[in-house]
mmCIF file of all heavy atoms in Angstrom:
data_model
loop_
_atom_site.group_PDB
_atom_site.id
_atom_site.type_symbol
_atom_site.label_atom_id
_atom_site.label_comp_id
_atom_site.label_asym_id
_atom_site.label_seq_id
_atom_site.Cartn_x
_atom_site.Cartn_y
_atom_site.Cartn_z
ATOM 1 N N PHE A 598 4.909 12.312 -9.769
ATOM 2 C CA PHE A 598 4.366 12.936 -8.557
ATOM 3 C C PHE A 598 4.638 12.066 -7.341
ATOM 4 O O PHE A 598 5.102 12.546 -6.301
ATOM 5 C CB PHE A 598 2.870 13.173 -8.721
ATOM 6 C CG PHE A 598 2.162 13.497 -7.431
ATOM 7 C CD1 PHE A 598 2.206 14.776 -6.902
ATOM 8 C CD2 PHE A 598 1.444 12.517 -6.748
ATOM 9 C CE1 PHE A 598 1.556 15.081 -5.712
ATOM 10 C CE2 PHE A 598 0.796 12.802 -5.566
ATOM 11 C CZ PHE A 598 0.849 14.091 -5.049
ATOM 12 N N LEU A 599 4.366 10.768 -7.467
ATOM 13 C CA LEU A 599 4.570 9.861 -6.337
ATOM 14 C C LEU A 599 6.036 9.770 -5.944
ATOM 15 O O LEU A 599 6.366 9.626 -4.759
ATOM 16 C CB LEU A 599 4.043 8.467 -6.681
ATOM 17 C CG LEU A 599 2.544 8.197 -6.514
ATOM 18 C CD1 LEU A 599 2.243 6.751 -6.830
ATOM 19 C CD2 LEU A 599 2.080 8.554 -5.118
ATOM 20 N N LEU A 600 6.921 9.838 -6.914
ATOM 21 C CA LEU A 600 8.343 9.682 -6.629
ATOM 22 C C LEU A 600 8.893 10.797 -5.742
ATOM 23 O O LEU A 600 9.964 10.652 -5.155
ATOM 24 C CB LEU A 600 9.130 9.623 -7.942
ATOM 25 C CG LEU A 600 8.893 8.365 -8.797
ATOM 26 C CD1 LEU A 600 9.599 8.479 -10.133
ATOM 27 C CD2 LEU A 600 9.345 7.115 -8.054
ATOM 28 N N ASP A 601 8.143 11.887 -5.626
ATOM 29 C CA ASP A 601 8.571 12.993 -4.754
ATOM 30 C C ASP A 601 8.144 12.776 -3.303
ATOM 31 O O ASP A 601 8.519 13.563 -2.431
ATOM 32 C CB ASP A 601 7.995 14.321 -5.257
ATOM 33 C CG ASP A 601 8.626 14.758 -6.571
ATOM 34 O OD1 ASP A 601 9.789 14.386 -6.806
ATOM 35 O OD2 ASP A 601 7.958 15.440 -7.358
ATOM 36 N N TYR A 602 7.348 11.731 -3.048
ATOM 37 C CA TYR A 602 6.824 11.506 -1.700
ATOM 38 C C TYR A 602 7.098 10.061 -1.291
ATOM 39 O O TYR A 602 6.269 9.170 -1.493
ATOM 40 C CB TYR A 602 5.324 11.795 -1.649
ATOM 41 C CG TYR A 602 4.983 13.223 -1.987
ATOM 42 C CD1 TYR A 602 4.669 13.583 -3.304
ATOM 43 C CD2 TYR A 602 4.990 14.221 -1.018
ATOM 44 C CE1 TYR A 602 4.364 14.898 -3.627
ATOM 45 C CE2 TYR A 602 4.684 15.536 -1.333
ATOM 46 C CZ TYR A 602 4.373 15.863 -2.639
ATOM 47 O OH TYR A 602 4.072 17.171 -2.962
ATOM 48 N N SER A 603 8.257 9.835 -0.710
ATOM 49 C CA SER A 603 8.661 8.476 -0.328
ATOM 50 C C SER A 603 7.728 7.893 0.725
ATOM 51 O O SER A 603 7.424 6.688 0.712
ATOM 52 C CB SER A 603 10.101 8.466 0.176
ATOM 53 O OG SER A 603 10.254 9.358 1.269
ATOM 54 N N TRP A 604 7.245 8.726 1.632
ATOM 55 C CA TRP A 604 6.356 8.225 2.685
ATOM 56 C C TRP A 604 5.033 7.746 2.109
ATOM 57 O O TRP A 604 4.453 6.765 2.589
ATOM 58 C CB TRP A 604 6.114 9.321 3.730
ATOM 59 C CG TRP A 604 5.412 10.543 3.190
ATOM 60 C CD1 TRP A 604 5.987 11.652 2.662
ATOM 61 C CD2 TRP A 604 3.977 10.748 3.109
ATOM 62 N NE1 TRP A 604 5.037 12.560 2.260
ATOM 63 C CE2 TRP A 604 3.788 12.028 2.539
ATOM 64 C CE3 TRP A 604 2.867 9.999 3.483
ATOM 65 C CZ2 TRP A 604 2.527 12.555 2.301
ATOM 66 C CZ3 TRP A 604 1.611 10.527 3.252
ATOM 67 C CH2 TRP A 604 1.451 11.787 2.672
ATOM 68 N N LEU A 605 4.551 8.430 1.056
ATOM 69 C CA LEU A 605 3.290 8.032 0.433
ATOM 70 C C LEU A 605 3.451 6.702 -0.301
ATOM 71 O O LEU A 605 2.563 5.840 -0.238
ATOM 72 C CB LEU A 605 2.819 9.124 -0.526
ATOM 73 C CG LEU A 605 1.478 8.896 -1.234
ATOM 74 C CD1 LEU A 605 0.362 8.643 -0.225
ATOM 75 C CD2 LEU A 605 1.137 10.093 -2.125
ATOM 76 N N MET A 606 4.570 6.527 -0.979
ATOM 77 C CA MET A 606 4.820 5.251 -1.661
ATOM 78 C C MET A 606 4.945 4.114 -0.645
ATOM 79 O O MET A 606 4.510 2.987 -0.914
ATOM 80 C CB MET A 606 6.085 5.350 -2.525
ATOM 81 C CG MET A 606 5.917 6.198 -3.769
ATOM 82 S SD MET A 606 7.346 6.114 -4.873
ATOM 83 C CE MET A 606 8.564 6.998 -3.900
ATOM 84 N N TRP A 607 5.532 4.412 0.507
ATOM 85 C CA TRP A 607 5.639 3.398 1.561
ATOM 86 C C TRP A 607 4.253 2.980 2.039
ATOM 87 O O TRP A 607 3.971 1.792 2.203
ATOM 88 C CB TRP A 607 6.468 3.968 2.707
ATOM 89 C CG TRP A 607 6.772 2.985 3.803
ATOM 90 C CD1 TRP A 607 7.817 2.132 3.867
ATOM 91 C CD2 TRP A 607 5.992 2.770 4.999
ATOM 92 N NE1 TRP A 607 7.765 1.382 5.020
ATOM 93 C CE2 TRP A 607 6.651 1.754 5.742
ATOM 94 C CE3 TRP A 607 4.831 3.325 5.506
ATOM 95 C CZ2 TRP A 607 6.162 1.292 6.955
ATOM 96 C CZ3 TRP A 607 4.341 2.859 6.717
ATOM 97 C CH2 TRP A 607 5.005 1.867 7.432
ATOM 98 N N LEU A 608 3.364 3.948 2.248
ATOM 99 C CA LEU A 608 1.994 3.630 2.662
ATOM 100 C C LEU A 608 1.254 2.845 1.579
ATOM 101 O O LEU A 608 0.550 1.861 1.878
ATOM 102 C CB LEU A 608 1.233 4.924 2.965
ATOM 103 C CG LEU A 608 1.582 5.659 4.267
ATOM 104 C CD1 LEU A 608 0.788 6.961 4.364
ATOM 105 C CD2 LEU A 608 1.277 4.771 5.483
ATOM 106 N N LEU A 609 1.409 3.254 0.331
ATOM 107 C CA LEU A 609 0.736 2.556 -0.769
ATOM 108 C C LEU A 609 1.286 1.143 -0.944
ATOM 109 O O LEU A 609 0.558 0.237 -1.366
ATOM 110 C CB LEU A 609 0.900 3.347 -2.066
ATOM 111 C CG LEU A 609 0.130 4.672 -2.134
ATOM 112 C CD1 LEU A 609 0.473 5.430 -3.409
ATOM 113 C CD2 LEU A 609 -1.375 4.436 -2.046
ATOM 114 N N ASN A 610 2.549 0.946 -0.624
ATOM 115 C CA ASN A 610 3.145 -0.389 -0.676
ATOM 116 C C ASN A 610 2.378 -1.352 0.231
ATOM 117 O O ASN A 610 1.948 -2.438 -0.195
ATOM 118 C CB ASN A 610 4.610 -0.305 -0.248
ATOM 119 C CG ASN A 610 5.305 -1.652 -0.228
ATOM 120 O OD1 ASN A 610 5.978 -2.041 -1.175
ATOM 121 N ND2 ASN A 610 5.184 -2.388 0.869
ATOM 122 N N TYR A 611 2.173 -0.952 1.481
ATOM 123 C CA TYR A 611 1.502 -1.845 2.428
ATOM 124 C C TYR A 611 -0.015 -1.858 2.230
ATOM 125 O O TYR A 611 -0.675 -2.857 2.553
ATOM 126 C CB TYR A 611 1.888 -1.470 3.855
ATOM 127 C CG TYR A 611 3.328 -1.813 4.141
ATOM 128 C CD1 TYR A 611 4.303 -0.821 4.212
ATOM 129 C CD2 TYR A 611 3.718 -3.139 4.269
ATOM 130 C CE1 TYR A 611 5.634 -1.147 4.437
ATOM 131 C CE2 TYR A 611 5.044 -3.474 4.504
ATOM 132 C CZ TYR A 611 5.997 -2.485 4.583
ATOM 133 O OH TYR A 611 7.314 -2.822 4.795
ATOM 134 N N ALA A 612 -0.573 -0.773 1.676
ATOM 135 C CA ALA A 612 -1.998 -0.789 1.323
ATOM 136 C C ALA A 612 -2.251 -1.800 0.209
ATOM 137 O O ALA A 612 -3.256 -2.533 0.225
ATOM 138 C CB ALA A 612 -2.444 0.606 0.889
ATOM 139 N N THR A 613 -1.327 -1.870 -0.751
ATOM 140 C CA THR A 613 -1.446 -2.854 -1.836
ATOM 141 C C THR A 613 -1.380 -4.273 -1.296
ATOM 142 O O THR A 613 -2.181 -5.144 -1.677
ATOM 143 C CB THR A 613 -0.325 -2.635 -2.867
ATOM 144 O OG1 THR A 613 -0.442 -1.324 -3.426
ATOM 145 C CG2 THR A 613 -0.405 -3.665 -3.980
ATOM 146 N N LEU A 614 -0.443 -4.530 -0.386
ATOM 147 C CA LEU A 614 -0.350 -5.862 0.214
ATOM 148 C C LEU A 614 -1.611 -6.216 0.992
ATOM 149 O O LEU A 614 -2.081 -7.363 0.951
ATOM 150 C CB LEU A 614 0.870 -5.932 1.140
ATOM 151 C CG LEU A 614 2.253 -5.835 0.478
ATOM 152 C CD1 LEU A 614 3.345 -5.950 1.528
ATOM 153 C CD2 LEU A 614 2.421 -6.907 -0.585
ATOM 154 N N PHE A 615 -2.187 -5.237 1.684
ATOM 155 C CA PHE A 615 -3.413 -5.491 2.446
ATOM 156 C C PHE A 615 -4.563 -5.838 1.510
ATOM 157 O O PHE A 615 -5.334 -6.782 1.773
ATOM 158 C CB PHE A 615 -3.765 -4.258 3.286
ATOM 159 C CG PHE A 615 -5.042 -4.403 4.060
ATOM 160 C CD1 PHE A 615 -5.119 -5.216 5.178
ATOM 161 C CD2 PHE A 615 -6.193 -3.734 3.648
ATOM 162 C CE1 PHE A 615 -6.305 -5.367 5.879
ATOM 163 C CE2 PHE A 615 -7.382 -3.870 4.346
ATOM 164 C CZ PHE A 615 -7.442 -4.689 5.462
ATOM 165 N N LEU A 616 -4.680 -5.099 0.412
ATOM 166 C CA LEU A 616 -5.748 -5.369 -0.551
ATOM 167 C C LEU A 616 -5.600 -6.744 -1.185
ATOM 168 O O LEU A 616 -6.577 -7.478 -1.347
ATOM 169 C CB LEU A 616 -5.741 -4.303 -1.643
ATOM 170 C CG LEU A 616 -6.337 -2.937 -1.284
ATOM 171 C CD1 LEU A 616 -5.936 -1.894 -2.312
ATOM 172 C CD2 LEU A 616 -7.849 -3.027 -1.211
ATOM 173 N N GLU A 617 -4.370 -7.102 -1.548
ATOM 174 C CA GLU A 617 -4.163 -8.344 -2.285
ATOM 175 C C GLU A 617 -4.098 -9.579 -1.388
ATOM 176 O O GLU A 617 -4.368 -10.690 -1.856
ATOM 177 C CB GLU A 617 -2.880 -8.236 -3.106
ATOM 178 C CG GLU A 617 -2.981 -7.225 -4.233
ATOM 179 C CD GLU A 617 -1.737 -7.151 -5.095
ATOM 180 O OE1 GLU A 617 -0.677 -7.688 -4.675
ATOM 181 O OE2 GLU A 617 -1.810 -6.567 -6.183
ATOM 182 N N ARG A 618 -3.771 -9.396 -0.127
ATOM 183 C CA ARG A 618 -3.619 -10.564 0.740
ATOM 184 C C ARG A 618 -4.756 -10.769 1.736
ATOM 185 O O ARG A 618 -5.004 -11.906 2.153
ATOM 186 C CB ARG A 618 -2.299 -10.458 1.520
ATOM 187 C CG ARG A 618 -1.063 -10.558 0.659
ATOM 188 C CD ARG A 618 0.199 -10.413 1.490
ATOM 189 N NE ARG A 618 1.411 -10.510 0.681
ATOM 190 C CZ ARG A 618 2.642 -10.336 1.146
ATOM 191 N NH1 ARG A 618 2.819 -10.058 2.437
ATOM 192 N NH2 ARG A 618 3.679 -10.439 0.350
ATOM 193 N N PHE A 619 -5.440 -9.700 2.108
ATOM 194 C CA PHE A 619 -6.390 -9.826 3.221
ATOM 195 C C PHE A 619 -7.800 -9.311 2.924
ATOM 196 O O PHE A 619 -8.767 -9.957 3.323
ATOM 197 C CB PHE A 619 -5.839 -9.091 4.454
ATOM 198 C CG PHE A 619 -4.493 -9.566 4.896
ATOM 199 C CD1 PHE A 619 -3.364 -8.780 4.710
ATOM 200 C CD2 PHE A 619 -4.337 -10.815 5.476
ATOM 201 C CE1 PHE A 619 -2.118 -9.212 5.112
ATOM 202 C CE2 PHE A 619 -3.086 -11.268 5.884
ATOM 203 C CZ PHE A 619 -1.977 -10.463 5.702
ATOM 204 N N LEU A 620 -7.935 -8.191 2.266
ATOM 205 C CA LEU A 620 -9.249 -7.555 2.180
ATOM 206 C C LEU A 620 -10.275 -8.414 1.462
ATOM 207 O O LEU A 620 -11.462 -8.390 1.800
ATOM 208 C CB LEU A 620 -9.130 -6.186 1.497
ATOM 209 C CG LEU A 620 -10.385 -5.305 1.556
ATOM 210 C CD1 LEU A 620 -10.798 -5.037 3.004
ATOM 211 C CD2 LEU A 620 -10.166 -3.989 0.812
ATOM 212 N N TRP A 621 -9.833 -9.196 0.466
ATOM 213 C CA TRP A 621 -10.771 -10.024 -0.286
ATOM 214 C C TRP A 621 -11.453 -11.086 0.588
ATOM 215 O O TRP A 621 -12.471 -11.667 0.186
ATOM 216 C CB TRP A 621 -10.071 -10.697 -1.471
ATOM 217 C CG TRP A 621 -8.828 -11.444 -1.129
ATOM 218 C CD1 TRP A 621 -7.543 -10.996 -1.248
ATOM 219 C CD2 TRP A 621 -8.727 -12.787 -0.603
ATOM 220 N NE1 TRP A 621 -6.643 -11.960 -0.843
ATOM 221 C CE2 TRP A 621 -7.351 -13.065 -0.442
ATOM 222 C CE3 TRP A 621 -9.664 -13.764 -0.273
ATOM 223 C CZ2 TRP A 621 -6.886 -14.292 0.046
ATOM 224 C CZ3 TRP A 621 -9.210 -14.981 0.213
ATOM 225 C CH2 TRP A 621 -7.846 -15.227 0.376
ATOM 226 N N TRP A 622 -10.900 -11.331 1.786
ATOM 227 C CA TRP A 622 -11.564 -12.274 2.699
ATOM 228 C C TRP A 622 -12.986 -11.806 3.034
ATOM 229 O O TRP A 622 -13.820 -12.615 3.449
ATOM 230 C CB TRP A 622 -10.745 -12.423 3.981
ATOM 231 C CG TRP A 622 -9.549 -13.308 3.831
ATOM 232 C CD1 TRP A 622 -8.281 -12.928 3.521
ATOM 233 C CD2 TRP A 622 -9.515 -14.739 3.971
ATOM 234 N NE1 TRP A 622 -7.446 -14.017 3.459
ATOM 235 C CE2 TRP A 622 -8.174 -15.146 3.740
ATOM 236 C CE3 TRP A 622 -10.465 -15.708 4.275
ATOM 237 C CZ2 TRP A 622 -7.779 -16.480 3.798
ATOM 238 C CZ3 TRP A 622 -10.067 -17.042 4.341
ATOM 239 C CH2 TRP A 622 -8.745 -17.410 4.107
ATOM 240 N N GLY A 623 -13.243 -10.521 2.856
ATOM 241 C CA GLY A 623 -14.592 -10.013 3.098
ATOM 242 C C GLY A 623 -15.644 -10.651 2.215
ATOM 243 O O GLY A 623 -16.831 -10.692 2.578
#
């Protein structure tokens, strides 16, 4: 399903980086 939506995978790519690099600072 995801492979049909390149824009969604692009958003999830940077959402993953945000979660793993920054959000835990909370």
Side-chain angles (χ1 to χ4, degrees):
F598 166 80
L599 277 183
L600 292 174
D601 291 332
Y602 299 93
S603 57
W604 63 270
L605 182 56
M606 288 188 290
W607 186 88
L608 286 177
L609 290 175
N610 178 96
Y611 290 105
T613 299
L614 293 181
F615 178 73
L616 283 165
E617 292 183 346
R618 293 179 180 176
F619 303 108
L620 190 58
W621 52 262
W622 282 93

